[in-house]
Amino acid sequence: MSSLAATQADGMYIPPSYLESGAYKKKSLNQYAGSKGHNQYLQRSVCRFELPFDGFCTKCDAIVGKGTRFNAHKAHVDDYFTTKIYEFTTRCRACGDCEFKMRTNPKERTFDYVSGIRKKVEEFDTAEAGTGGVIDTEIGNGILEYKNGRVLDAPDGTALNLLEKSAAGHRKAQTEHEHMTSLIELNAKMGEDADANASIRAAFRKDRKAKRRRL
């Protein structure tokens, strides 16, 4: 055996009682020695947690920026089908009294701020704000309504929606035409290069044969 695992196994001290008592059949060496783990997560369920969104402490109103890292207690609190939902618990750095609780949300593929911390709202309802909505210029779906962090489908048949669809389709057709034109030009250039290479090689071949005949 020449693997790294074999090297580590050879260099590890194994007490004679571990083998003589037959404990090796039921327990690992760490379990037999009463080890609680080799890191803080295995020992105390503490892990490094990074805030996914900007937030505010509900007690002292301190700003907690996105990307701030904490030593948080990680616990399995629920399940979504076969996916585990974990809860992370830590404390505010500013006041030290408020307890933050964040949970994973596999259904929405995001994180939820449960208690102690309030998420900074950077989204708005276009209907309540009185705006026209989000204009989609890539797919050509026209003006879309934005609500609760999601883009809703636009109603079909509106004049502005049909106009935007036709304009987006025209832009897409132009883009495809330009792409095909560039491919044709590239193929033509490569064909010319191949013909030039073939003519040069034929000339060299002719010279080599002439030299061999003279020799």
Side-chain angles (χ1 to χ4, degrees), residues 140-160:
N141 289 327
I143 294 182
L144 305 180
E145 184 180 354
Y146 189 82
K147 186 175 183 180
N148 295 330
R150 293 184 177 182
V151 178
L152 305 180
D153 295 333
D156 296 329
T158 60
L160 191 58

Side-chain angles (χ1 to χ4, degrees), residues 33-61:
S35 173
K36 297 181 180 179
H38 61 276
N39 56 37
Q40 60 180 359
Y41 175 68
L42 294 177
Q43 293 176 1
R44 302 182 301 275
S45 298
V46 175
C47 67
R48 222 36 197 164
F49 181 76
E50 181 175 326
L51 285 185
F53 312 108
D54 293 332
F56 300 93
C57 176
T58 57
K59 187 171 184 179
C60 64
D61 290 331

Side-chain angles (χ1 to χ4, degrees), residues 44-205:
R44 302 182 301 275
S45 298
V46 175
C47 67
R48 222 36 197 164
F49 181 76
E50 181 175 326
L51 285 185
F53 312 108
D54 293 332
F56 300 93
C57 176
T58 57
K59 187 171 184 179
C60 64
D61 290 331
I63 300 176
V64 188
K66 174 184 177 181
T68 306
R69 296 182 179 181
F70 296 90
N71 286 337
H73 180 271
K74 179 180 178 181
H76 174 213
V77 294
D78 202 355
D79 293 284
Y80 176 72
F81 293 100
T82 58
T83 305
K84 294 182 179 180
I85 297 177
Y86 290 101
E87 184 177 83
F88 301 89
T89 305
T90 184
R91 290 188 175 275
C92 177
R93 291 182 178 178
C95 62
D97 295 331
C98 188
E99 188 177 66
F100 295 165
K101 288 188 178 182
M102 292 76 64
R103 288 187 182 182
T104 58
N105 187 348
K107 181 179 180 180
E108 301 294 337
R109 291 176 292 182
T110 183
F111 285 85
D112 294 334
Y113 287 176
V114 180
S115 63
I117 184 171
R118 183 178 73 256
K119 181 180 177 182
K120 181 180 178 182
V121 179
E122 299 179 337
E123 303 167 350
F124 63 95
D125 190 344
T126 55
E128 295 178 358
T131 60
V134 180
I135 300 178
D136 184 4
T137 59
E138 297 294 333
I139 306 176
N141 289 327
I143 294 182
L144 305 180
E145 184 180 354
Y146 189 82
K147 186 175 183 180
N148 295 330
R150 293 184 177 182
V151 178
L152 305 180
D153 295 333
D156 296 329
T158 60
L160 191 58
N161 188 23
L162 295 176
L163 178 62
E164 182 62 30
K165 281 187 176 181
S166 62
H170 181 64
R171 287 194 298 269
K172 185 177 180 182
Q174 285 184 340
T175 304
E176 292 180 353
H177 177 71
E178 293 173 356
H179 183 60
M180 290 299 298
T181 304
S182 63
L183 288 178
I184 292 173
E185 292 176 354
L186 180 61
N187 289 336
K189 182 179 179 181
M190 293 178 64
E192 293 174 358
D193 293 342
D195 295 338
N197 187 17
S199 62
I200 294 173
R201 291 171 63 87
F204 282 138
R205 193 180 304 110

